[in-house]
Amino acid sequence: MSAEISTRLLQTYFNCLHPLWPILYKPLYASLDYATPTDMMPPALVAAIFSIASCVDRPQQYATNTIVQRYPEPFQFFEEALDLIQQGKESEKPQLLNALAPSITNCQVLTILSLQQHGVAEYSRAAILCGLASAMAIEMRLHRPYESNDPIQSEVHSRLWWNLYILEKMSSTEMGRPVMLRYEETDCPYPSVSEADEFELMSTQAGNQGLSGQIRNTAIKLRTLSGLHSTIRLSIILEKISREIYGLSSRKVIRDNQASGEAKRMDLWYALKEWEREMEESPLRLDLSKDLTSVPAAITNYVVSSLNITTHPSSNHSDYVPRYYSPPSTIHCSLAIKSWSFTSYRQPAQCLSRRGQKYLPRS
């Protein structure tokens, strides 16, 4: 692969995907030559990065009079990454056991590939890869504090664990599957917000100004790690929704005890409202002005929270929980939840649409 394509895909990954999913410890690659990434990164990790970056950076995004080299399709990078993690020593033949060997690289590769498959709507395969990465992470005790005094490795472990925790919640809630990684079973510290990528300025591709492929900086701090913290807190609430509403035993309790079901619904609503209040009091608050200063993580978190309170049975009875009679005293609570949820969903959705019109390159 040419140096130009390698550089463009790595720029796309770190500029567009890393602020939302800081799976890797970016400061570790500050001196990385994007033209020859395998000098510092394992080849399997490079292929995994390319598999997801190539879904975002596509040739049709560039102007018609621009010469852009073609590169393999995302599925080819995906298959290459799976092949590479099966490689052992140079004298050994590739075998599946190598891919199943617990290691940070293998876990990072599987996590990124799971995210990539989710992005191309291969949800079942994404869930399987996420499950494999989760089992590997627990085997390596990533859910516990890093025992060495190496701060860099501690950050590598923490970022990988919490991104995997969020990804597993996203997969399980979307597909209606049991939650595997539980919050009460981990005491891994959150990633530090004092790292360099917390304070980086947001970079955008200036394709809509005839400068296809060029990168420009805005004055907006990405706050990547602060955004990750807010996503973790939101994922903890989603875990509660999945277990306390969707769980088999929880469904039975709700069916048999109407008052308990109503109390649980209100508890979860208050938890989401408290999460939103904390967001509004932080630099991650949603900006609905024409300046659009909200960072990407903030917008996506608002959308996810609003969608969950709108569609989950914590605010609206679904097919998973049979409808039961609500006493008149509780009707106003349900109406308040629904009214707030639709309003809060519309605002970030509009902001997301306007951000796309302002920043994204146009084909």
Side-chain angles (χ1 to χ4, degrees):
M1 182 181 299
S2 71
E4 176 190 352
I5 293 176
S6 174
T7 299
R8 192 168 72 235
L9 289 178
L10 282 169
Q11 285 180 339
T12 297
Y13 178 82
F14 283 114
N15 291 338
C16 301
L17 297 166
H18 180 80
L20 291 171
W21 294 91
I23 298 169
L24 304 181
Y25 181 60
K26 187 177 179 181
L28 192 63
Y29 307 107
S31 60
L32 175 66
D33 181 0
Y34 284 3
T36 56
T38 53
D39 290 347
M40 288 188 65
M41 280 186 178
L45 182 58
V46 173
I49 289 174
F50 287 174
S51 74
I52 193 169
S54 59
C55 294
V56 178
D57 185 276
R58 303 304 300 161
Q60 61 265 26
Q61 292 182 350
Y62 298 90
T64 54
N65 60 349
T66 302
I67 299 176
V68 180
Q69 289 181 296
R70 293 187 61 84
Y71 46 82
E73 293 294 323
F75 79 88
Q76 293 175 285
F77 287 123
F78 173 82
E79 292 176 349
E80 181 184 6
L82 288 179
D83 289 340
L84 288 171
I85 61 172
Q86 297 182 58
Q87 300 283 348
K89 298 179 181 179
E90 294 184 359
S91 59
E92 295 180 355
K93 293 182 179 180
Q95 52 183 336
L96 183 58
L97 288 178
N98 292 326
L100 300 178
S103 71
I104 292 298
T105 296
N106 283 359
C107 195
Q108 288 173 333
V109 169
L110 292 171
T111 302
I112 294 175
L113 292 182
S114 174
L115 185 61
Q116 190 267 359
Q117 288 292 283
H118 181 276
V120 298
E122 292 288 349
Y123 301 118
S124 180
R125 190 179 299 160
I128 293 172
L129 290 168
C130 181
L132 182 57
S134 298
M136 191 175 293
I138 292 174
E139 181 67 23
M140 293 187 292
R141 298 180 59 81
L142 298 188
H143 60 297
R144 303 303 310 276
Y146 188 64
E147 297 178 354
S148 175
N149 293 325
D150 187 340
I152 293 180
Q153 286 304 311
S154 178
E155 283 296 306
V156 170
H157 285 215
S158 178
R159 292 192 185 202
L160 178 54
W161 169 256
W162 285 114
N163 276 278
L164 185 55
Y165 174 86
I166 295 167
L167 180 59
E168 192 270 329
K169 298 299 162 293
M170 182 174 71
S171 177
S172 61
T173 54
E174 287 179 350
M175 301 187 68
R177 296 184 174 184
V179 171
M180 292 187 295
L181 303 179
R182 299 190 174 190
Y183 176 68
E184 68 262 23
E185 298 294 340
T186 179
D187 57 355
C188 176
Y190 287 4
S192 171
V193 294
S194 300
E195 298 294 341
D197 42 351
E198 167 74 4
F199 309 103
E200 288 181 341
L201 299 180
M202 185 166 68
S203 299
T204 59
Q205 206 168 36
N208 57 337
Q209 299 180 8
L211 301 173
S212 300
Q214 294 190 14
I215 302 297
R216 62 183 178 88
N217 286 332
T218 68
I220 303 172
K221 289 183 180 179
L222 282 169
R223 303 191 184 277
T224 298
L225 285 312
S226 295
L228 177 63
H229 287 194
S230 70
T231 311
I232 295 171
R233 291 193 292 271
L234 178 58
S235 298
I236 293 170
I237 299 175
L238 297 186
E239 178 185 338
K240 290 182 178 180
I241 293 175
S242 296
R243 294 173 56 189
E244 299 178 11
I245 297 294
Y246 282 119
L248 293 177
S249 59
S250 298
R251 296 181 200 177
K252 186 177 186 303
V253 171
I254 292 174
R255 291 167 187 160
D256 296 342
N257 190 330
Q258 299 177 16
S260 174
E262 188 65 23
K264 183 63 62 179
R265 178 168 59 180
M266 292 306 300
D267 286 345
L268 293 171
W269 180 58
Y270 286 135
L272 283 167
K273 285 290 290 181
E274 176 63 18
W275 175 86
E276 185 187 34
R277 184 191 64 78
E278 292 177 355
M279 289 284 286
E280 289 299 311
E281 295 177 356
S282 75
L284 298 173
R285 64 185 177 276
L286 188 64
D287 175 25
L288 299 175
S289 71
K290 64 179 181 180
D291 296 326
L292 296 176
T293 59
S294 297
V295 297
I299 297 176
T300 54
N301 282 347
Y302 271 102
V303 171
V304 170
S305 67
S306 302
L307 282 173
N308 274 278
I309 198 170
T310 302
T311 60
H312 275 70
S314 59
S315 64
N316 188 22
H317 303 301
S318 74
D319 294 335
Y320 293 101
V321 182
R323 297 176 182 271
Y324 57 77
Y325 168 74
S326 294
S329 61
T330 64
I331 291 178
H332 72 281
C333 297
S334 299
L335 292 178
I337 294 174
K338 293 173 185 177
S339 175
W340 172 81
S341 64
F342 282 112
T343 300
S344 61
Y345 168 69
R346 183 171 61 249
Q347 291 176 341
Q350 291 173 345
C351 185
L352 187 61
S353 175
R354 288 165 55 199
R355 177 177 291 279
Q357 294 174 7
K358 182 174 181 180
Y359 292 123
L360 292 181
R362 300 178 182 176
S363 54

